[in-house]
Amino acid sequence: MKTKRYLVQGFLLLLCSMTAIAGSPSEEPQHPQNPQKQTGKRPRIQTSASKKEIVFKPNAETGKAETGKAGKGKAGTEKTKAVKVAGKKPKGTATGKQVKKKPQQKTASERYMALKTNIAYDAIAVPNLTFEMQFSKHISVELPVMFSGWDISDKHAVRTFAVQPEGRWWLEKAGTGHFFGVHAHMALFNVKWDENRYQSTDRPLLGAGVSYGYKLPFSRHWGAEFTLGAGYANMKYNTYYNIDNGALIETKSRNYWGITRLGISLSYHF
């Protein structure tokens, strides 16, 4: 009887233990080497290298491989970019050296200035020189000065000192193309011509006129200028016989209307 009781008790204990084992929840075995099941992150290849030198496999989504030391990732690159941006020097700051300003280049809008000589007057032995300066986009002023102090021959001579200032309005801009001018003139003279000699008296020749002209450029600095003007002049002069110490014939005062300006000039533009 005792043996049967022991067998029954043993069978019940075995049955209870099996029931307890079957009803207890089973735990999945942990795989420390499979981080994808733990964190959902990209798989890594575990090597014998240190944690700082772990090499990542290619990303299945982007197809790009990340090869680098641990600690460098998206956050590492962003930090590096931030450091580089912070290290940039702002424009315009001095770095121990003074910033030199570039010299301003000359532009085409500079003031027009020219030096000229009238070849038409040079041809009759009256040397002359003219200076012209711009005062606005369309306006310039020139001052011609003429002087002659010698004879052409025994019977012919033009001794004179004259000035003829003129204000000009250029249609395009000063020193270019067509222009219109208003001039005045003043002259002292002693002219021998054939049988007579004409000499200004106590006052010079005075007058004014208008003119038209055109500037023809040859190069950046050189050009030719053609001018024709007409107007009024008043003069008072003595007439002598055209010999040494010739006698006075008469004294006249004359008003003149006609050509007062004729120019074929060679011009140099500064």
Side-chain angles (χ1 to χ4, degrees):
M1 294 293 293
K2 289 183 179 180
T3 303
K4 188 181 289 188
R5 187 177 58 185
Y6 290 145
L7 291 172
V8 171
Q9 289 179 356
F11 179 77
L12 291 175
L13 289 172
L14 179 61
L15 182 62
C16 290
S17 63
M18 291 177 66
T19 304
I21 292 171
S24 63
S26 61
E27 296 181 359
E28 293 183 1
Q30 295 182 357
H31 301 282
Q33 295 182 358
N34 192 353
Q36 187 175 13
K37 292 184 179 180
Q38 290 182 357
T39 62
K41 294 182 179 179
R42 290 170 292 184
R44 295 180 296 179
I45 297 174
Q46 183 65 43
T47 64
S48 61
S50 63
K51 291 182 179 181
K52 295 183 179 181
E53 297 178 349
I54 294 174
V55 180
F56 291 92
K57 282 185 176 181
N59 191 343
E61 295 178 0
T62 61
K64 294 181 179 178
E66 290 184 18
T67 58
K69 294 182 180 179
K72 280 188 180 181
K74 190 172 183 180
T77 55
E78 289 179 359
K79 186 175 180 181
T80 306
K81 289 180 180 179
V83 172
K84 289 182 179 179
V85 171
K88 285 185 179 180
K89 295 179 182 178
K91 294 181 180 180
T93 56
T95 59
K97 296 182 180 180
Q98 294 182 353
V99 179
K100 295 182 179 180
K101 294 183 178 180
K102 294 182 179 180
Q104 295 182 352
Q105 295 182 353
K106 295 183 178 181
T107 61
S109 61
E110 286 184 340
R111 180 175 294 181
Y112 170 73
M113 292 186 292
L115 198 62
K116 301 176 282 188
T117 183
N118 192 336
I119 301 173
Y121 292 164
D122 293 332
I124 59 173
V126 181
N128 62 93
L129 196 62
T130 303
F131 179 73
E132 183 175 8
M133 179 182 291
Q134 176 184 359
F135 285 90
S136 70
K137 181 179 179 180
H138 296 282
I139 297 175
S140 68
V141 174
E142 73 163 16
L143 180 64
V145 178
M146 293 155 276
F147 174 78
S148 176
W150 51 84
D151 296 344
I152 301 173
S153 65
D154 294 339
K155 293 290 184 177
H156 301 89
V158 181
R159 297 185 180 185
T160 183
F161 173 78
V163 293
Q164 196 174 42
E166 180 175 68
R168 294 178 168 181
W169 174 268
W170 298 79
L171 299 184
E172 297 181 25
K173 63 178 182 178
T176 303
H178 303 270
F179 66 87
F180 294 94
V182 177
H183 60 266
H185 33 257
M186 184 276 294
L188 298 170
F189 59 90
N190 186 356
V191 179
K192 294 194 298 182
W193 205 259
D194 294 335
E195 300 296 329
N196 296 327
R197 180 172 63 87
Y198 309 96
Q199 183 176 356
S200 56
T201 59
D202 53 347
R203 66 175 181 84
L205 175 150
L206 298 172
V210 295
S211 61
Y212 162 78
Y214 179 77
K215 173 72 176 294
L216 177 65
F218 293 151
S219 65
R220 181 180 177 184
H221 295 286
W222 293 97
E225 188 177 286
F226 305 94
T227 313
L228 180 65
Y232 167 78
N234 177 267
M235 64 194 84
K236 186 177 180 181
Y237 59 93
N238 295 326
T239 303
Y240 300 91
Y241 288 110
N242 190 13
I243 58 174
D244 292 339
N245 299 318
L248 175 63
I249 299 174
E250 59 182 350
T251 299
K252 281 189 177 182
S253 180
R254 183 180 177 186
N255 296 315
Y256 168 80
W257 293 90
I259 296 175
T260 54
R261 190 176 180 89
L262 178 64
I264 305 173
S265 301
L266 182 64
S267 172
Y268 179 82
H269 173 204
F270 292 99

